[in-house]
Amino acid sequence: MHVSENDESQEPEAAQDTEVVVRKRRTFTATYKRRIVEEAGRMTAEDRGALLRREGLYSSHLHQWQAELGRNGKGLTDKKRGPKANPEREQIRRLEREKAKLEKRLHQAELIIGAQKKLAELFGTTLPTEEEILGHKRDR
């Protein structure tokens, strides 16, 4: 029996898997790199290929690690990723936070002083001027 393309009894095609798999970047310790480089150095080309397949590595890994190790033997070290610590940057951030906090307090104080002036006008009283306050404090 021939089934036409428009026949509704036909099963729909299986939906393709569209999920994106995000793989975490692999990292290797200096000890692991050194072990693989030393092990590969004792092997034939065929055995090196088997080693790379077994470890899930690429030949570029091996070449890069050999070059790093060749740099006075100091190249294979564990490296910390990200920006270098900068104590001045931390101090700047701390001072900026402190400045923002003080500006907020100043703004609140100015609002309170403005409200006090309006209340003084409503009650018909006069508030001491800034010069009077500062001069009075100096006398003490």
Side-chain angles (χ1 to χ4, degrees):
M1 177 175 144
H2 177 65
V3 179
S4 68
E5 292 180 26
N6 295 333
D7 189 0
E8 293 181 21
S9 65
Q10 189 177 19
E11 288 186 25
E13 291 184 27
Q16 291 183 351
D17 187 14
T18 58
E19 183 177 345
V20 176
V21 178
V22 179
R23 295 180 192 255
K24 185 177 182 252
R25 183 180 184 135
R26 296 187 301 172
T27 56
F28 305 100
T29 64
T31 307
Y32 176 79
K33 292 177 186 181
R34 186 171 283 113
R35 181 180 64 82
I36 295 296
V37 168
E38 290 171 356
E39 194 174 333
R42 294 186 303 263
M43 297 180 163
T44 65
E46 289 178 0
D47 292 338
R48 266 194 299 271
L51 169 70
L52 294 175
R53 285 189 297 278
R54 183 185 76 218
E55 296 293 329
L57 300 172
Y58 296 99
S59 60
S60 60
H61 285 123
L62 186 58
H63 294 298
Q64 181 183 1
W65 297 344
Q66 287 169 335
E68 288 178 18
L69 187 61
R71 293 186 204 121
N72 300 326
K74 299 177 184 177
L76 289 177
T77 58
D78 291 326
K79 298 172 189 163
K80 291 186 179 181
R81 298 182 60 89
K84 304 288 184 254
N86 185 345
E88 290 177 358
R89 185 180 301 143
E90 182 54 39
Q91 183 179 9
I92 290 170
R93 286 186 186 137
R94 184 183 55 78
L95 291 173
E96 286 174 345
R97 286 191 302 266
E98 186 177 333
K99 178 182 174 242
K101 184 177 170 183
L102 290 173
E103 285 176 343
K104 183 178 177 183
R105 289 184 64 195
L106 174 63
H107 180 70
Q108 289 173 338
E110 288 172 342
L111 290 175
I112 291 169
I113 291 170
Q116 288 174 339
K117 286 181 182 179
K118 288 180 183 178
L119 282 173
E121 288 177 14
L122 287 173
F123 290 123
T125 59
T126 56
L127 294 174
T129 63
E130 189 176 338
E131 292 81 23
E132 291 172 341
I133 294 171
L134 293 176
H136 188 69
K137 285 184 178 178
R138 284 188 209 134
D139 294 340
R140 290 184 183 178

